[in-house]
Amino acid sequence: MKKKIPYIIAYWWVMTLFALGLFILILGNRDGGFSQSENRDLQGAPAFSLKNWFDGTFSREAEAYLSDQFPERDPVVKTADRMLSAFDATSEKERILDQSMIMELEGMNEGSEPVEDEPVLPDTPEDVTVPVLETPAPGTSALPTLPVSETPTPAPVSEETPAPTPVDPAVKDTSTVRRFSLRRSDGSLYTRFQFGQDAIEDTVKSLNAYRAALPENGNVIFTYIPYSQDANEWLLYPDNFSGWYSNVEPTLQANVDEGVYVFSTVNELEQYMQNGDLCFFKTDHHWTGLGAFYMQRLMMRSFGVPSISYDDFTYTVHENFTGSITSTVHSLAGYRNLSDRLEVPGMLAPTRAFVYRNVSELVKEVRYMEPERVVYAAFLGGTHDPFYVAETGFHTGHTALVICDSFGLAFVPYIAPYYDRVCLVDLRDTHSFITQTGGNNKLKPYIEHYGIEDVYFIVSRGCGVNSSYMRSIVRKYLG
């Protein structure tokens, strides 16, 4: 009798789960619905076919459907979150950070080699001489024009700078909801997350605040970049998805001040990704240098400035790069021994890079690139706190500031030829723009000291429109 009791318990437990699953399959919302608490579409009932049965699509969608249509799901999820939070060892500050920001931050460190505090510099004098700042004369054009000698394929530069025109993707979306979605093969949209009205208004305030802090003809350029996981999903499962979609950029552009320009990374890169270009890594959550280059080219061409070519650079190539999400990609996509191609660009002109504690206090000189490292931090040697300055060796008479998270690292090398000086700062709370400078550091003195004309916001979706980064942090540190 004692041996039968465990069997009876197990039997009825399995039968209960089977009955519950059958109940969900029959009475669940077959269209999926939308979860307000999670800000995403819920999985609808899977469609059966021999093809999706054998390729595993049916089982994945059925599992997601059972999970998403569980009775009283929202209260269960909230209760589970509260229980997990009670045993969470992270600090209160970390808990209140946007969760996608935390994912991005943690992803930077997974599988990466440690960044040396004092990298070895070839042929670097002991007494570093920092190039003297030469502020451009008032009235010059804020967006630079490449010297003809640096332009491989010169194009005529318009006398007046045309405003970039956001391009809507070829999908009919009559909804007023601002969202980022994956485009299903049938043309419908699978919404990943929405952009709240408050978040849009706050981001507009932040962009306008920086435009007001620049010279009269200064420019603010903004784009947010999805994580590679979003690209991997529709690229690895082409039978289910044909692309992605974002419609928040036209709304931002319609509400910002003159001199602020919003570009859609989602809309621009889709065409290249569909052609097989590696714009995002498969094993790392970042975009590639090629993806960053395509966005730089779009920005410059929108302003009538001739664009450099990706092939103008000499690259150190690593064929077996694996990054922060390797295990996740293997698990979800069924891949083994997956790796990426990491291309680290060299310099087009002698470039030196420096780290400053404040406007005038030099901390050290650092290497501009670290091409021997088989990690994403090979770009610029990773993030250098609190304030990074690259003296590019070009003579354009212009200076730019890139405000970013780690996605800005791959972007800087491709705008360097357009500026004498490119500054970079990462204002996430986990970085040290404030803590290393006595707690009162602000960006306005840097803008004035370096004669900065153009400010680029190059941020991942975790630091994008919905995040505290764009909504409040960047404005708080402006001063």
Side-chain angles (χ1 to χ4, degrees), residues 192-460:
R192 283 295 194 167
F193 54 86
Q194 297 179 3
F195 300 95
Q197 183 63 31
D198 290 345
I200 293 173
E201 292 175 359
D202 288 342
T203 298
V204 167
K205 290 178 184 177
S206 296
L207 297 174
N208 288 344
Y210 276 83
R211 174 61 190 88
L214 296 178
E216 181 180 351
N217 54 357
N219 298 278
V220 172
I221 298 103
F222 170 83
T223 192
Y224 87 90
I225 308 108
Y227 293 128
S228 68
Q229 291 93 314
D230 301 311
N232 289 335
E233 184 158 3
W234 68 267
L235 290 174
L236 293 175
Y237 301 113
D239 291 341
N240 298 339
F241 301 106
S242 61
W244 52 9
Y245 170 79
S246 174
N247 65 352
V248 72
E249 289 87 356
T251 299
L252 291 171
Q253 187 66 72
N255 288 279
V256 292
D257 292 340
E258 184 178 355
V260 179
Y261 303 101
V262 180
F263 292 88
S264 176
T265 293
V266 173
N267 296 344
E268 176 66 11
L269 295 189
E270 183 183 60
Q271 57 185 312
Y272 302 109
M273 295 159 68
Q274 288 173 334
N275 290 333
D277 289 356
L278 187 67
C279 297
F280 288 84
F281 294 114
K282 299 181 183 70
T283 68
D284 189 271
H285 66 289
H286 294 99
W287 60 355
T288 64
L290 182 60
F293 166 79
Y294 282 140
M295 286 310 297
Q296 168 274 134
R297 185 173 67 179
L298 171 66
M299 293 170 183
M300 292 301 167
R301 286 180 173 177
S302 295
F303 289 104
V305 176
S307 175
I308 58 173
S309 168
Y310 186 77
D311 294 333
D312 288 339
F313 294 83
T314 300
Y315 292 89
T316 300
V317 178
H318 302 285
E319 296 287 358
N320 296 311
F321 165 63
T322 55
S324 60
I325 59 171
T326 303
S327 59
T328 302
V329 174
H330 287 180
S331 172
L332 294 179
Y335 280 87
R336 295 293 182 269
N337 302 318
L338 184 65
S339 62
D340 278 308
R341 177 184 174 94
L342 174 66
E343 299 181 342
V344 186
M347 298 179 289
L348 292 185
T351 301
R352 301 177 71 184
F354 306 88
V355 177
Y356 287 86
R357 179 165 286 110
N358 50 45
V359 168
S360 57
E361 184 182 352
L362 176 67
V363 177
K364 58 185 176 181
E365 182 171 4
V366 296
R367 294 170 63 192
Y368 175 59
M369 304 292 278
E370 297 187 11
E372 74 283 358
R373 300 181 63 193
V374 193
V375 293
Y376 179 79
F379 294 104
L380 306 189
T383 301
H384 297 282
D385 298 320
F387 194 80
Y388 172 92
V389 177
E391 305 288 348
T392 69
F394 290 90
H395 302 286
T396 65
H398 302 283
T399 299
L401 170 64
V402 177
I403 300 175
C404 61
D405 53 19
S406 59
F407 279 63
L409 302 179
F411 179 80
V412 166
Y414 297 106
I415 63 165
Y418 301 89
Y419 295 94
D420 291 358
R421 181 179 293 104
V422 178
C423 306
L424 181 145
V425 63
D426 187 334
L427 297 178
R428 288 176 292 181
D429 284 345
T430 51
H431 289 259
S432 56
F433 183 69
I434 293 294
T435 57
Q436 286 193 19
T437 54
N440 59 357
N441 214 13
K442 300 293 182 182
L443 278 174
K444 271 187 180 178
Y446 290 86
I447 292 173
E448 295 170 359
H449 178 80
Y450 288 102
I452 290 168
E453 302 153 294
D454 301 326
V455 174
Y456 293 82
F457 286 92
I458 308 297
V459 292
S460 68

Side-chain angles (χ1 to χ4, degrees), residues 69-178:
Q69 301 304 325
F70 192 86
E72 298 298 318
R73 183 178 182 280
D74 280 351
V76 171
V77 170
K78 290 177 182 178
T79 301
D81 287 342
R82 285 195 294 267
M83 291 177 66
L84 289 172
S85 298
F87 294 98
D88 192 358
T90 57
S91 66
E92 183 63 24
K93 180 180 179 181
E94 288 171 322
R95 287 189 190 121
I96 64 175
L97 284 175
D98 182 270
Q99 291 305 304
S100 53
M101 281 181 70
I102 293 176
M103 181 181 71
E104 200 272 343
L105 292 168
E106 291 174 345
M108 285 184 64
N109 299 320
E110 288 184 19
S112 298
E113 300 171 359
V115 179
E116 298 177 3
D117 289 336
E118 297 291 342
V120 179
L121 300 173
D123 303 323
T124 300
E126 291 185 5
D127 296 325
V128 176
T129 303
V130 182
V132 178
L133 170 67
E134 296 180 3
T135 304
T140 58
S141 174
L143 270 166
T145 301
L146 273 178
V148 173
S149 60
E150 263 84 53
T151 307
T153 53
V157 180
S158 60
E159 305 221 345
E160 295 183 359
T161 300
T165 303
V167 180
D168 281 326
V171 61
K172 293 182 179 180
D173 182 12
T174 58
S175 170
T176 58
V177 175
R178 299 296 165 238

